[in-house]
Each structure stands twice: as structure tokens, then as C-alpha cells.
Amino acid sequence: MGIQMRKFVAAALLAFIAVPAAAVLRVDINSGIAAPMPIAVPAFATPAPAPTAAGSTGDLGRQVAAVIAADLGSSGLFKPLDPAAFTTTVGYGDVTKPNFGAWRTLAAQALLTGAVSVNPDGNITVACYAYDVFTSEELARQGFVTTAAGWRRAAHKCADLVYSRLTGETGYFDTRIVYVSETGPRTKRIKLLALMDQDGANHRFLTNGQNLVLTPRFAPDDQTITYMSYADNRPRIWLYTLGSGVQTALRPASGDFPSMTFAPRFMPGGGSMVFSMSVGGNTDVYRIDLASRKVTRLTSAPGIDTAPSPSPDGSRIVFESDRGGTQQLYVMNADGSGQQRISFGEGRYGTPVWSPRGDTIAFTKIGGGQFRIGIMKTDGSGERLLTSSWQDEGPTWAPNGRVIMFFRTAQGSGATALWTVDLSGQNERKLKTPLDASDPAWSPLLP
């Protein structure tokens, strides 16, 4: 995005203070939305109103707080209090010395305050402070220096700070989503690649819709996207460099693939990719080294082997195959050895994606006239369905492995939209997009 975020510790406002061992405020992340924690996020203060390229520091302070509250509320683990109910404001001098009594009267358990200030070089500093309201103890503090245009990323990082401190898990708010934007009649859909922040902000289209695009996926460095396109009426894999907008077809060292290539996904580290290729009526999983462009065939069973997804350490790959007569999930070692089926429930299974945590695989379950999002352990045990709508498919994991995004097709209209669900299956949220949306992919945390 062209924004360089820097953590900093200042001598005055952000001088380090150790959090006392007695501070035990905690969110049980395994409880879903049973009892979300009430948290107050008042407008961030400013030492003196000052103009920036993105508006005054006073306006930015209000907007930063609103973005943080929306992030935390969307997780289902926090309940941001309505600012209209606040009985006190937080001035610049109150940021490090809050009036805890005023926040206790509102039943807030946690408080997030902060400040926005302008630096001599025109950049801004966004400072964040998290407190336990009932013990009057500081839980965390951190600051970020960014361009004025990068204030939203600073807000997301503040939300990640609170999420991490109070759940013990890595946050996921400072991330992006690439997906397929759809418009037009069902028989003649126009599909474009689109990119946005995880909350729907900073939306932009990457392609013009001239060619059909499918299944975009991020590289581990977040700067390259791979996808399938029907450019020149030939289905094949492409690479899109976000910084330059350059698009290149993926080709082997021999010059080009002999037939259709699809379902691409980067291996950990980004030095190679796995994908499917259809040759002579048989579809198998292949791997290509991006430096040498050497291609290795990983499967050879009769039928369709596709949708490969590697484990976080790159040692294993899950994929779907109909080699046994129905669409099921299989795992294999990264070299193609040790192939074994792991799905044995009723119905069919597709679009598997290995969790960033390494212990779970998400999938689309097809049966009973429904498509639903489910998870299972990597050996196939512990299967659990998270959604129950008419047609949910195409899961992708948040980088912390606690939230899954997917796309839902509305029964009757056929309209598609992006949704998220947490691992409890209780907290579903619809994302706003300009047009219909499908095939989402969640980026790693931004640097």
C-alpha cells in the first residue's frame, strides 16, 4: 500500500511502564459471542488541533476511534460502548491518566485511549493505550508513525494490540482481502479482481473485466497475487504484482503448459506454487519452482485432483479428489508421497484450506441440497460445520486462524456476498462490497 508503519517508544508520552502482574483482564476466545467484553473507545485526543493531508488531528482522532471500535466489535468478542452514552471526554492530558471512575459507571471493563499528533516532517503519530477499568491498570501501550493517509492502518494496528493483549492471540485487523467482484446476468457474468482492507475500506479494482478471473490467492509477502484467467480464451494461471500492476502468465521452463492450469496457491515462503493441470482427460496436482520454473507432478490417480493447499510448514498438502468415486479430501506429503483420504462423512467435500495454525482444515461440505463451511482436524477427526445457509463455499483463513471468510450465494436471486464466521460458528458478519463478491482470499498481516 506504500505505507511504512514504524513502532516507536517516545521518551515522554510513550515511555515504557511495565504492566503489573495483577492485571488479569482477559477474553476467553473459545467462548464466541457468549459474553463479549464491554470496552470504551473514546475519540483520540490531540495536543493541539493541527491540519494534515488527511484532515485535522481532531477529525482523525474521532475516525481512528471509530475504526478501532468497529474492528473489535466485528470479532464478536468485544462490545464497544455507544459514544453517545459517554459521560466524560478524554483530553490530551487524560490519555495516560484516565478518570476510571467515570468509565466504571458505564460498566466498561476495558478502556482504549490514545492521541493523534503531527510530526515536523508532516507524518502523524498515533499512540494507543489499553487499560483495565476496574483495577485502574495499564495493559498495553504502543505508538505508530505513518503518513497522514495511513491513519486507518494505524487504527487497525491499535485494534490488533488490544485484541492480542486481551485474548492472547495474534490480531488480524491490519490485513487485506482480494476477491472476485461480479456483475451482470448469471449467464454472462463479468468478473474482476478487487482488493480492499479487511473491513471493506480502500477498495479498488485490479482488472477491467475483459477476461474472466477466478480463485485469487496472496503470496506470503502480500505483494503478489496469483489467479486463474481466461485471457485469450485459454484458462491458465497468472501472477499480478501489486506494486507495479504488472501481470504475467505462469510458464514452465519449457515455454508453456500444454493444457489448462488452475487452482493455484503459493507454498510457504513464496518460492514455489502448487496448482492443478488437466492433461489427457486426467487432472492432477503439480508443483512449480518459481526460480527455475521446474515442474513436478505430485498426483497421478485417475480422476480429478485439485484445490491443493499446503500446511503452514510446507511439509504436507491437502487437496480434493474424486478418485474414490465422490469428491473427498486427501492429504499427502509435499513430494506427493503418502496420499490418504481424510474425509468420511456423508456428502461431498471440496475447497480445503489448511489453517495458519496448522491444526485444522477448513472446507466446503456439499450435501442435503446445501453448501456449508466446516472444519476438521488434519487427520479428518473432529468434523464440525460452522454455517447452515443454502450455499456457503470457498473458505479462507484470517492469519491468526480464528476467523474464516467465505462467500454466500442467496437462494433465488443468485447474488453472492462475502461473509466471515469465527470458530465458534456463532459470530457471522457480512462484508460490504460495491458489487456481488466471491472467491475471497485473506492476506497475511501487513508489515
Side-chain angles (χ1 to χ4, degrees), residues 193-352:
L193 286 185
L195 183 71
M196 64 183 181
D197 295 349
Q198 60 80 26
D199 62 353
N202 294 318
H203 188 282
R204 62 188 174 110
F205 294 107
L206 303 180
T207 58
N208 59 16
Q210 183 176 353
N211 299 306
L212 182 70
V213 294
L214 298 168
T215 61
R217 304 287 183 255
F218 278 104
D221 65 2
D222 185 57
Q223 294 304 307
T224 305
I225 293 169
T226 183
Y227 64 97
M228 177 187 175
S229 174
Y230 282 77
D232 301 323
N233 293 319
R234 183 176 181 183
R236 55 182 172 178
I237 296 168
W238 287 73
L239 300 173
Y240 185 107
T241 304
L242 286 174
S244 63
V246 172
Q247 301 178 65
T248 56
L250 181 69
R251 291 186 171 90
S254 58
D256 211 341
F257 290 106
S259 58
M260 179 175 68
T261 56
F262 56 100
R265 195 178 294 270
F266 285 94
M267 291 291 288
S272 62
M273 291 173 55
V274 285
F275 62 97
S276 290
M277 181 163 59
S278 179
V279 179
N282 205 61
T283 299
D284 290 298
V285 176
Y286 293 77
R287 179 171 179 167
I288 182 170
D289 182 276
L290 295 180
S292 66
R293 297 302 169 106
K294 178 183 177 181
V295 178
T296 302
R297 185 177 180 177
L298 301 181
T299 67
S300 57
I304 300 174
D305 296 343
T306 188
S309 175
S311 61
D313 63 3
S315 65
R316 292 189 292 168
I317 297 171
V318 62
F319 62 100
E320 65 177 75
S321 175
D322 65 356
R323 62 181 65 183
T326 62
Q327 184 181 7
Q328 301 293 333
L329 303 186
Y330 292 74
V331 295
M332 62 181 171
N333 295 324
D335 63 359
S337 64
Q339 298 177 24
Q340 57 182 323
R341 178 174 166 178
I342 62 169
S343 61
F344 293 94
E346 294 183 1
R348 295 176 289 136
Y349 297 76
T351 65

Side-chain angles (χ1 to χ4, degrees), residues 91-292:
Y92 188 69
D94 304 319
V95 170
T96 57
K97 297 179 180 180
N99 179 359
F100 290 109
W103 299 109
R104 290 188 193 108
T105 63
L106 297 176
Q109 294 182 26
L111 170 67
L112 178 65
T113 66
V116 179
S117 57
V118 180
N119 303 329
D121 61 1
N123 288 335
I124 63 171
T125 294
V126 178
C128 310
Y129 296 78
Y131 297 96
D132 182 329
V133 171
F134 289 98
T135 64
S136 304
E137 293 171 349
E138 181 184 290
L139 299 174
R141 62 167 65 187
Q142 197 166 332
F144 305 94
V145 176
T146 180
T147 63
W151 68 267
R152 292 189 68 95
R153 283 203 57 200
H156 291 318
K157 286 185 175 292
C158 287
D160 280 334
L161 173 69
V162 175
Y163 183 97
S164 177
R165 179 62 184 83
L166 293 179
T167 67
E169 300 281 347
T170 304
Y172 60 92
F173 302 118
D174 188 27
T175 55
R176 297 188 288 185
I177 305 297
V178 63
Y179 73 97
V180 175
S181 179
E182 302 188 24
T183 187
R186 303 305 298 175
T187 56
K188 193 176 181 181
R189 296 292 270 178
I190 297 174
K191 298 191 175 188
L192 307 85
L193 286 185
L195 183 71
M196 64 183 181
D197 295 349
Q198 60 80 26
D199 62 353
N202 294 318
H203 188 282
R204 62 188 174 110
F205 294 107
L206 303 180
T207 58
N208 59 16
Q210 183 176 353
N211 299 306
L212 182 70
V213 294
L214 298 168
T215 61
R217 304 287 183 255
F218 278 104
D221 65 2
D222 185 57
Q223 294 304 307
T224 305
I225 293 169
T226 183
Y227 64 97
M228 177 187 175
S229 174
Y230 282 77
D232 301 323
N233 293 319
R234 183 176 181 183
R236 55 182 172 178
I237 296 168
W238 287 73
L239 300 173
Y240 185 107
T241 304
L242 286 174
S244 63
V246 172
Q247 301 178 65
T248 56
L250 181 69
R251 291 186 171 90
S254 58
D256 211 341
F257 290 106
S259 58
M260 179 175 68
T261 56
F262 56 100
R265 195 178 294 270
F266 285 94
M267 291 291 288
S272 62
M273 291 173 55
V274 285
F275 62 97
S276 290
M277 181 163 59
S278 179
V279 179
N282 205 61
T283 299
D284 290 298
V285 176
Y286 293 77
R287 179 171 179 167
I288 182 170
D289 182 276
L290 295 180
S292 66

